[in-house]
Amino acid sequence: MSKKEFGDLNKRELVDLVYTMMNTEDENNSELPPVEQVAAERTKLDNKAKFRRILKSTVSALLVAAAIAVLISMLFLPVIQVSGDSMMPTLNNGDIILLVKTKRFCTGELCCVSWQNKLLLKRVIGLPGDNIDIDEKGNVYLNGEPLDEPYVTNKALGECDIDLPYTVPEGKLFVMGDQRETSVDSRSTAVGCVDYDQMVGRYLFRIWSAD
């Protein structure tokens, strides 16, 4: 390899040349490798370095995206899995649903309630100040008017030990499950009306169906 050829190499190529010379398999071979070989080795090293940079950048982006998704889920859009059949046929056991955190609820909306370290899926029936009445056949009356409940397939009075008619206290919500015969909800003094602070969120949509 001539002096001119050495002069044509940049610093990185010179370093690569020294590295190649130090790692040559033939220790008795004192001949310097040609510029083309050095350039080829340099290209390999550059490609490896570029791959590592891309891999590092991709992993970092994925970690940031995952952290943002977890943060959004915790603060604004909780994701939960349905446990039990109190909301059938609207929701089935094992369904995965998305909620939206809010303090505004309307009659008939699906909601998630935190109760004794459990998450309960129920439906908002009465707002603060509303008058609730339920007859022996399970028909619900809201402020003296029959409540239209197309989501209920089998009406029943169910587990009800509150005094009817019942007025929902301020700052509370009256909730019931769609399976009226088996659901334990605000009709029972064991649960009662729930505070707004107990509301985890309002049902937004089903992400995955267990059926």
Side-chain angles (χ1 to χ4, degrees):
M1 190 173 183
S2 67
K3 184 177 180 180
K4 181 180 184 303
E5 289 176 325
F6 270 112
D8 291 337
L9 299 177
N10 58 34
K11 291 182 180 180
R12 176 62 182 274
E13 289 172 333
L14 285 171
V15 172
D16 291 344
L17 175 59
V18 174
Y19 178 83
T20 302
M21 292 172 61
M22 293 176 62
N23 290 278
T24 181
E25 294 181 358
D26 187 359
E27 296 181 356
N28 297 320
N29 185 7
S30 59
E31 184 178 347
L32 296 177
V35 175
E36 292 79 6
Q37 182 178 344
V38 175
E41 290 296 327
R42 180 176 180 274
T43 300
K44 289 181 181 179
L45 291 175
D46 284 343
N47 288 338
K48 289 181 180 180
K50 183 178 181 181
F51 174 77
R52 287 194 294 268
R53 288 195 301 270
I54 293 175
L55 180 62
K56 182 178 179 181
S57 176
T58 301
V59 171
S60 299
L62 290 175
L63 290 175
V64 171
I68 293 174
V70 171
L71 185 63
I72 291 175
S73 175
M74 292 177 60
L75 297 179
F76 306 108
L77 299 169
V79 176
I80 67 168
Q81 184 172 30
V82 178
S83 178
D85 58 2
S86 68
M87 297 309 296
M88 290 180 63
T90 305
L91 295 174
N92 300 307
N93 183 46
D95 288 353
I96 297 177
I97 64 173
L98 182 69
L99 307 174
V100 57
K101 288 201 170 187
T102 181
K103 292 296 184 180
R104 296 181 179 181
F105 296 92
C106 298
T107 300
E109 287 182 332
L110 281 171
C111 63
C112 182
V113 180
S114 176
W115 179 75
Q116 294 187 355
N117 296 322
K118 298 179 181 179
L119 295 179
L120 307 178
L121 286 168
K122 301 297 177 184
R123 196 176 294 274
V124 177
I125 300 299
L127 304 176
D130 282 345
N131 184 272
I132 308 293
D133 200 3
I134 310 172
D135 64 21
E136 292 296 327
K137 294 182 179 180
N139 296 305
V140 179
Y141 296 87
L142 178 64
N143 299 321
E145 298 293 331
L147 186 63
D148 182 26
E149 299 187 286
Y151 39 79
V152 177
T153 55
N154 295 303
K155 293 183 178 182
L157 181 58
E159 187 173 331
C160 181
D161 60 359
I162 60 174
D163 293 329
L164 296 171
Y166 179 87
T167 300
V168 183
E170 287 300 318
K172 304 275 188 177
L173 293 169
F174 193 96
V175 298
M176 295 170 63
D178 289 353
Q179 288 293 319
R180 297 295 163 79
E181 190 171 0
T182 57
S183 175
V184 180
D185 44 48
S186 294
R187 294 171 295 175
S188 170
T189 53
V191 178
C193 288
V194 296
D195 294 327
Y196 276 85
D197 290 340
Q198 292 177 256
M199 305 301 286
V200 178
R202 183 179 70 236
Y203 171 78
L204 197 57
F205 59 83
R206 177 164 38 195
I207 299 174
W208 183 79
S209 175
D211 287 346

